[in-house]
Amino acid sequence: MADTLPIGTQLRIVTPEREVVEGEISEVSIPGKGGYLGVLPGHAPLLTELQPGDLTYRQDGLDFHVAIHCGFAEVLPDRVIILADAAERAEEIDVERAERARRRAEERLKQPSESEEEMREAREALRRAICRLETARHAKA
Ligand code: ATP
């Protein structure tokens, strides 16, 4: 057996505003455009586009969740870098705000007079809100 297997993977999640996560993890599941992508140490390099979803990583035997909203992931054998438009750790999510955003988006989608562009924006806002609500369910007390 090779004696050079990496013991862990360095995960970094950044947005234009801030660094959301930085640390060594043993496993990560990334919401990629083509579906969820599971990454273990030593994974083959790849670049993938993200879609809004719940990113999960395992650190010190515990699972952590982050809501991710579009961007890119670069996977290297010893590192995973996520560049996201926005991202929030489960514990940071303001559930009432996300509920309000979901209701607002649903109301907008019920208005048949709105333009296609406005409809697209409302659908994306709805997706972000649902994604945040899903991730927030995993918040640690
Ligand atoms: P809202 O209408 O509530 O602002 P949004 O989907 O339009 O929601 P974004 O434009 O995606 O919000 O995000 C703007 C900033 O606010 C980002 O920094 C994002 O991380 C943060 N953010 C948005 N919603 C929440 C939330 N429910 N809890 C915590 N942070 C949030």
Side-chain angles (χ1 to χ4, degrees):
M1 204 205 302
D3 59 2
T4 52
L5 278 179
I7 51 165
T9 295
Q10 205 63 28
L11 173 67
R12 194 157 175 244
I13 303 177
V14 288
T15 73
E17 294 170 355
R18 67 193 178 110
E19 185 166 82
V20 181
V21 172
E22 220 276 290
E24 189 168 304
I25 53 116
S26 55
E27 199 173 330
V28 59
S29 167
I30 301 167
K33 263 269 154 28
Y36 276 83
L37 174 73
V39 174
L40 294 165
H43 196 286
L46 64 85
L47 192 63
T48 182
E49 208 176 326
L50 301 169
Q51 66 172 350
D54 181 54
L55 177 147
T56 316
Y57 63 91
R58 179 160 281 205
Q59 189 170 48
D60 300 329
L62 293 174
D63 288 334
F64 295 89
H65 295 257
V66 182
I68 295 282
H69 314 282
C70 301
F72 290 90
E74 184 181 26
V75 176
L76 297 168
D78 62 345
R79 237 165 335 141
V80 174
I81 301 151
I82 308 280
L83 301 173
D85 294 350
E88 303 91 31
R89 285 182 277 116
E91 292 74 19
E92 297 175 324
I93 292 170
D94 178 338
V95 173
E96 284 181 16
R97 176 176 168 181
E99 290 283 11
R100 284 197 301 276
R102 174 162 73 175
R103 279 197 297 274
R104 233 175 15 249
E106 282 171 348
E107 286 306 315
R108 281 165 63 195
L109 287 168
K110 282 187 204 152
Q111 307 290 324
S113 60
E114 292 201 49
S115 71
E116 188 44 48
E117 174 65 10
E118 283 169 328
M119 285 299 183
R120 192 180 56 77
E121 278 176 19
R123 277 196 298 273
E124 285 175 6
L126 180 60
R127 229 172 150 196
R128 289 195 298 277
I130 289 172
C131 170
R132 287 178 175 123
L133 292 168
E134 168 62 24
T135 296
R137 289 174 47 226
H138 301 284
K140 297 195 193 328

